[in-house]
Amino acid sequence: MRAILKTGSIVSVVLLLMLVCSCKKTTSADNQKKILAPDPLNNAVSKLTQVITHDIFSPTVASRIYMYSSVAAYEALVPLNSEYQSLAGQLKGFTAGPKPEAAQIYCFPLASVHAFMKVARTLTFSVEMYDEFENKLYEDYKDMGISDDVFDRSIAFGDSVAAHVIRYSSKDNYKQTRGFRHTITNQPGTWVPTPPGYMDGVEPQWFKIRTLTLDSASQFKPVPPPAYNTDKNSAFFKEAQDVYDVTTHMTEEQKWIANFWDCNPFKLNVAGHVNFATKKMSPGGHWMSISNIISRQYKADIMKTAETYALVSIALFDGFISCWDEKYRSVRVRPETAINQLIDKDWTPFLQTPPFPEYTSGHSVISTASATVLTHLYGDNISYVDSTEVQYGIPPRSFKSFRQACEEAAISRLYGGIHYRSAIEVGLVQGGQVGEWVLGHIQTHKVIATKSEPTKQSN
């Protein structure tokens, strides 16, 4: 009979003592606790979200930045705890990275957060926004009693892990997908740019990005949406009418839900002859923030915190590829266009329509993928308060489970007037498939086998 090590288990006493001895010059119990605290990594994720929001990365590109940064943090921390294993050989094309030198002393929490920041700096633009944060971060570690040689060695290890991950990122076809525009056909029922900016379709080539766990971008190809039809008795017309009816009779609660999950990185505001943009975090950023909230609320140790960010960001990344593959296959018209043509030429959606095809709902896909991972890591019926949107003047909302949150995120797009119901419902299924696939194909924990049984691995 084999013993399966629990996800997120506390670092063993032996490992803890080894880490403390490796990192400290003093015997302060407070310093020992700080060295193992996940706060620096949680704060680093929050800082990355600020920069991604400032730089106005699209939701798809933001998921790529979160993922590579989080994978680097996880890989640099794995040597801390023998219960965990590398993602090498598990993510598509990801090979084994650098290893710490035997008999040398490291502070792996420092190496982890440094690797995270190194990748974040490489993949974002406004790197000066990190300066003050990082300077304070490293000063804090030194104040914990880490000797200069251990500090330098840990930074160097973090650098080497980051470089390995950055090399991996350079082969994901990202550069090859830059500069392409979606061709508008103007065929009835197909997507066209929408007001007020009439922007080009975002990331029409994203399905060509290398997946991490999925066999291909189309592995979970959804059922086709109802065909475009102007007949009032058709399934398509009824869906358009449904959006119109819901949005013209919204309750204050529904408006709150729509605003809470809006997550529009670039909302164009038009006031007379003046145009200005309002920035918000991306949908993926919202779920990384939920991961942050849960990590703090349940006092997850640093290893489980790094595991959480890695798995959630991987689910986000593969989820966006799966969703975008369908978006530019079906190229389905947005409700705003259809309703203006078929029902009410003066109707406007409650939220601003995003600049890409409608089917399936990205919020539905990535929210369910993320919720599936978080449920696996922390359990079902986990109550928490999501204060992510307070910074944008939107009150927090309470949830009793991750599933409740992802279903609310999905239906919020109907309230916003930017998705038909089928895109939401099918997107929930698609996201669940992605999330379960990720969990079935990435094993962060090792399994200790008895002599009579070969070694196996398990989440």
Side-chain angles (χ1 to χ4, degrees):
M1 182 175 182
R2 68 183 186 274
I4 300 177
L5 299 173
K6 295 181 179 179
T7 301
S9 59
I10 302 299
V11 178
S12 68
V13 173
V14 174
L15 282 174
L16 187 148
L17 291 175
M18 287 175 60
L19 175 64
V20 171
C21 290
S22 297
C23 294
K24 73 183 186 65
K25 292 183 292 188
T26 71
T27 56
S28 165
D30 186 53
N31 278 349
Q32 295 174 21
K33 183 177 180 181
K34 288 179 180 177
I35 288 170
L36 289 172
D39 294 348
L41 182 56
N42 283 325
N43 294 339
V45 172
S46 297
K47 173 54 69 173
L48 176 56
T49 295
Q50 292 175 12
V51 177
I52 287 175
T53 303
H54 178 272
D55 287 349
I56 319 179
F57 286 105
S58 68
T60 50
V61 176
S63 74
R64 179 177 183 265
I65 299 169
Y66 282 121
M67 181 273 294
Y68 286 123
S69 301
S70 298
V71 166
Y74 176 84
E75 290 293 303
L77 194 63
V78 162
L80 169 66
N81 193 326
S82 60
E83 297 177 5
Y84 287 78
Q85 62 184 358
S86 169
L87 300 175
Q90 302 191 72
L91 303 181
K92 191 177 294 183
F94 189 50
T95 58
K99 299 290 188 293
E101 296 180 45
Q104 291 290 350
I105 298 173
Y106 294 83
C107 184
F108 293 112
L110 169 60
S112 174
V113 72
H114 179 67
F116 181 96
M117 296 307 302
K118 190 80 172 183
V119 175
R121 278 183 173 272
T122 302
L123 300 181
T124 53
F125 301 138
S126 302
V127 295
E128 69 282 355
M129 292 179 65
Y130 298 116
D131 292 346
E132 183 178 353
F133 171 81
E134 276 200 273
N135 290 337
K136 179 64 165 56
L137 174 73
Y138 301 137
E139 287 175 7
D140 287 345
Y141 270 108
K142 287 184 176 181
D143 288 344
M144 295 174 200
I146 301 174
S147 63
D148 290 343
D149 62 326
V150 172
F151 183 93
D152 293 342
R153 190 178 300 115
S154 303
I155 291 292
F157 180 63
D159 279 333
S160 64
V161 172
H164 180 67
V165 172
I166 291 167
R167 285 193 295 273
Y168 175 60
S169 74
S170 69
K171 299 177 182 178
D172 69 356
N173 297 324
Y174 178 74
K175 292 181 180 178
Q176 291 78 2
T177 61
R178 302 303 88 202
F180 286 89
R181 297 179 63 182
H182 173 66
T183 301
I184 305 299
T185 66
N186 288 314
Q187 292 295 314
T190 60
W191 179 82
V192 294
T194 50
Y198 296 95
M199 292 184 282
D200 289 336
V202 170
E203 299 294 348
Q205 299 286 306
W206 200 253
F207 68 96
K208 294 182 179 179
I209 299 293
R210 176 188 59 201
T211 58
L212 295 175
T213 67
L214 302 182
D215 294 336
S216 70
S218 59
Q219 180 175 350
F220 296 117
K221 179 181 176 181
V223 297
Y228 179 77
N229 194 323
T230 59
D231 188 318
K232 292 186 177 181
N233 293 316
S234 67
F236 176 83
F237 193 98
K238 289 179 180 178
E239 280 211 310
Q241 186 69 53
D242 178 39
V243 176
Y244 181 77
D245 291 343
V246 168
T247 56
T248 51
H249 300 91
M250 286 227 289
T251 66
E252 291 304 310
E253 174 79 2
Q254 289 171 329
K255 292 177 182 178
W256 180 12
I257 291 171
N259 278 320
F260 185 82
W261 294 102
D262 184 18
C263 302
N264 187 347
F266 184 85
K267 178 184 178 183
L268 183 62
N269 302 279
V270 180
H273 297 290
V274 178
N275 296 341
F276 63 96
T278 301
K279 302 176 184 180
K280 286 186 178 181
M281 70 174 62
S282 67
H286 194 139
W287 279 96
M288 291 294 281
S289 294
I290 291 173
S291 301
N292 196 317
I293 290 169
I294 294 300
S295 168
R296 295 178 190 274
Q297 178 174 323
Y298 286 90
K299 296 179 173 56
D301 61 48
I302 188 169
M303 198 70 237
K304 182 167 183 177
T305 298
E307 175 192 30
T308 300
Y309 288 130
L311 289 178
V312 169
S313 63
I314 288 167
L316 286 171
F317 184 78
D318 272 359
F320 271 116
I321 293 175
S322 179
C323 181
W324 251 244
D325 177 63
E326 178 57 38
K327 281 185 179 294
Y328 285 97
R329 177 186 299 111
S330 52
V331 203
R332 195 188 198 194
V333 66
R334 285 282 182 174
E336 183 166 13
T337 304
I339 291 173
N340 287 163
Q341 293 175 346
L342 305 177
I343 299 173
D344 182 349
K345 65 180 179 61
D346 296 320
W347 178 86
T348 57
F350 182 72
L351 299 178
Q352 192 168 108
T353 301
F356 37 81
E358 190 269 344
Y359 190 81
T360 53
S361 160
H363 270 56
S364 301
V365 175
I366 66 98
S367 294
T368 311
S370 300
T372 299
V373 169
L374 287 170
T375 298
H376 168 80
L377 291 172
Y378 293 91
D380 205 356
N381 301 319
I382 298 297
S383 297
Y384 67 97
V385 176
D386 185 353
S387 57
T388 301
E389 301 297 310
V390 169
Q391 61 186 305
Y392 305 116
I394 303 171
R397 292 187 62 79
S398 298
F399 299 98
K400 295 181 179 180
S401 69
F402 300 118
R403 183 69 191 183
Q404 181 192 16
C406 78
E407 289 177 349
E408 183 178 283
I411 199 65
S412 75
R413 311 312 269 173
L414 175 64
Y415 302 154
I418 56 182
H419 275 297
Y420 310 103
R421 203 175 290 269
S422 62
I424 293 167
E425 294 173 349
V426 176
L428 286 169
V429 174
Q430 186 181 6
Q433 291 172 322
V434 171
E436 292 294 345
W437 183 266
V438 167
L439 292 175
H441 288 76
I442 294 185
Q443 300 169 340
T444 52
H445 282 245
K446 299 176 183 177
V447 172
I448 300 176
T450 63
K451 292 182 180 179
S452 61
E453 190 173 7
T455 301
K456 296 181 181 180
Q457 300 172 350
S458 172
N459 269 337

